[in-house]
Amino acid sequence: MKLNKIQLENFRNYENFSAEFDPGVNLLVGQNAQGKTNLLEAVAYLGSGRAFRTQKTGELIRFGADFAQLEGNVTSQQREQDLRWILFQGSRPRQLYRNGVKKKTAGEISGVLQTVLFCPEDLQILKAGASGRRRFADTVICQLRPNYEAAVTEYNRILEQKNRILKDRHENPALTDILPEYNARLCQVGAIIIAYRARFFESLQKEAAGFHNLFSGGKEDFVLSYKTVSTVDDPFIPTAELEEKLREHLDSHYRAELESSQCLTGPHKDDFDVTLSGISLKAFGSQGQVRTAAVSLKLAQRTLLEKASGETPVLLLDDVLSELDPARQDFVLNQITGGQVFITCCEPGRLTKLGKTIEISNGQIK
Ligand code: ATP
Ligand code: MG
């Protein structure tokens, strides 16, 4: 899929803006605070109805204006399609049109313009705690496997109830009797989640390692591994066996859970780790290595989505070049092929052999 053209009216710092894009790389060059990230945000919003920097529609509308309009011409599913959003200040609901026909929800345009974003905050996926990694993985698995979301929602619901029981049983000891029921459900649904994740991390590892290898000029051997409950040595065993392993682990933590009043074990603690040539990235990775690995994960995400849907999502790379040496910068600018890419960058005079450079200054093309 490709975004051929965009027109913005009163979106962020864009009063009246239109641009045509290359089907390959689009390098958005400009000084700080000129609107580069805003343009990526517009592209992502156009396809999803979601802004990656805010939940508040009003913030997307140019200061002082009472509405904003985003319009894009997209080639996807073998045809040209027009998408148009109109956003309003206040409580008036936003409007969405596809090829001039009004749509009720963003769900109705899903798959028309799918984007994969890398932004500097994504470095935290690899550097910070496990919850960000789980969130990343869960988001991608939900995009790939429609039934996964229901399993996660169900698991979280049971988990929340179990945690409440563990807390409330101090006042109401009889509650302890229903814990085994909750544990059984947790193991059942937990096994399904682990089965999905095992398959996902296996393909993510394969794709991301390939990209990281090219990116680092073959100098670093990227290995991503899935970490789940310690009784599960092999997450690919049948789900009935996974369920048994989970039960074993839960049983061995039964006392500790009662004492701490918390649910201590299960796939809600899952994680993955990345090593480069055997060395932990989280503990020892340099800034450039972390960035390289994070972008490789996003490239892998793009490939997995492409394999699932037959369409290559548009890649949005915000501030990806800083901290990268010239060879790695060259990889981003000139070697990511196969789909459309938008890359922001502050250095004037940067060019890409694979597409076009667009200079942005104060919400306009220079
Ligand atoms: P950097 O290189 O620092 O990342 P950038 O080019 O990516 O800069 P943006 O994040 O796109 O910059 O933001 C550009 C400007 O847009 C900011 O100065 C910000 O104040 C302005 N801006 C954000 N929201 C609005 C809005 N609703 N109305 C008007 N201006 C806005
Ligand atoms: Mg920016």
Side-chain angles (χ1 to χ4, degrees):
M1 55 184 60
K2 313 256 182 302
L3 177 62
N4 307 311
K5 218 161 73 181
I6 201 166
Q7 262 175 295
L8 303 175
E9 206 180 328
N10 294 333
F11 181 86
R12 295 280 195 188
N13 69 332
Y14 290 97
E15 183 173 2
N16 236 308
F17 176 87
S18 83
E20 288 188 16
F21 299 120
D22 191 274
V25 176
N26 293 274
L27 189 60
L28 311 175
V29 183
Q31 296 178 348
N32 295 133
Q34 300 307 305
K36 303 180 300 295
T37 305
N38 290 346
L39 188 53
L40 296 189
E41 198 177 30
V43 175
Y45 193 93
L46 198 59
S48 67
R50 259 174 291 136
F52 55 78
R53 294 196 291 185
T54 180
Q55 310 255 31
K56 297 181 191 138
T57 303
E59 289 184 5
L60 301 174
I61 300 170
R62 201 168 66 91
F63 302 146
D66 45 19
F67 79 98
Q69 179 163 260
L70 302 86
E71 222 176 327
N73 178 267
V74 180
T75 304
S76 87
Q77 297 151 350
Q78 280 105 43
R79 58 203 164 104
E80 271 193 42
Q81 310 198 42
D82 284 307
L83 295 176
R84 183 154 75 103
W85 288 94
I86 309 170
L87 319 178
F88 300 97
Q89 263 326 337
S91 57
R92 186 168 165 195
R94 64 187 185 173
Q95 296 174 0
L96 164 65
Y97 297 86
R98 173 187 183 171
N99 299 327
V101 181
K102 198 166 181 175
K103 299 285 163 195
K104 283 203 187 71
T105 63
E108 291 179 73
I109 58 158
S110 79
V112 175
L113 175 61
Q114 197 169 33
T115 54
V116 170
L117 166 77
F118 166 88
C119 61
E121 291 78 53
D122 288 328
L123 299 173
Q124 295 306 316
I125 296 176
L126 291 164
K127 283 306 268 183
S131 64
R133 283 184 288 283
R134 279 194 300 273
R135 202 173 325 115
F136 164 72
D138 280 349
T139 307
V140 186
I141 308 172
C142 285
Q143 290 174 320
L144 294 168
R145 309 290 306 270
N147 295 332
Y148 178 72
E149 191 167 6
V152 174
T153 308
E154 172 70 354
Y155 184 90
N156 289 335
R157 196 180 60 82
I158 309 165
L159 184 69
E160 204 178 297
Q161 287 171 343
K162 179 179 161 185
N163 274 323
R164 201 167 325 125
I165 291 169
L166 284 168
K167 294 212 164 67
D168 291 351
R169 71 176 189 94
H170 298 290
E171 276 130 56
N172 185 359
L175 280 175
T176 313
D177 299 343
I178 56 171
L179 266 182
E181 225 175 277
Y182 282 85
N183 282 344
R185 275 300 282 154
L186 274 182
C187 294
Q188 222 174 25
V189 187
I192 296 169
I193 291 177
I194 292 176
Y196 272 112
R197 286 183 181 165
R199 282 154 189 81
F200 166 68
F201 282 119
E202 184 183 48
S203 30
L204 187 71
Q205 143 66 24
K206 231 175 42 224
E207 301 299 342
F211 285 117
H212 193 100
N213 190 1
L214 291 171
F215 209 154
S216 64
K219 285 192 215 122
E220 293 161 3
D221 182 24
F222 175 107
V223 176
L224 178 150
S225 35
Y226 174 34
K227 305 270 172 247
T228 186
V229 179
S230 65
T231 46
V232 178
D233 309 316
D234 175 8
F236 291 96
I237 55 177
T239 44
E241 290 172 38
L242 280 174
E243 202 180 318
E244 269 317 301
K245 300 275 182 192
L246 287 181
R247 200 184 321 276
E248 223 177 274
H249 205 253
L250 258 182
D251 286 347
S252 69
H253 286 74
Y254 187 71
R255 282 267 125 235
E257 290 199 328
L258 289 181
E259 275 158 27
S260 65
S261 300
Q262 269 184 54
C263 189
L264 297 173
T265 136
H268 57 287
K269 303 271 181 186
D270 278 2
D271 198 359
F272 67 88
D273 73 15
V274 173
T275 57
L276 298 182
S277 309
I279 298 167
S280 160
L281 183 70
K282 186 167 186 258
F284 301 108
S286 75
Q287 282 163 302
Q289 283 178 317
V290 173
R291 195 169 282 256
T292 305
V295 175
S296 299
L297 283 182
K298 298 291 172 149
L299 287 166
Q301 177 185 357
R302 184 183 72 153
T303 304
L304 295 179
L305 290 172
E306 176 193 326
K307 284 185 173 167
S309 74
E311 295 266 356
T312 315
V314 173
L315 191 62
L316 307 175
L317 302 176
D318 195 15
D319 196 11
V320 77
L321 298 175
S322 49
E323 295 164 349
L324 295 182
D325 60 37
R328 291 183 197 220
Q329 290 196 3
D330 177 65
F331 175 82
V332 174
L333 292 170
N334 297 310
Q335 293 173 52
I336 299 177
T337 52
Q340 192 177 34
V341 190
F342 292 79
I343 306 167
T344 68
C345 148
C346 292
E347 290 162 63
R350 276 233 171 256
L351 292 171
T352 166
K353 289 179 225 138
L354 295 179
K356 81 189 228 185
T357 302
I358 300 170
E359 262 190 82
I360 295 180
S361 170
N362 194 18
Q364 287 179 330
I365 294 183
K366 217 167 167 182

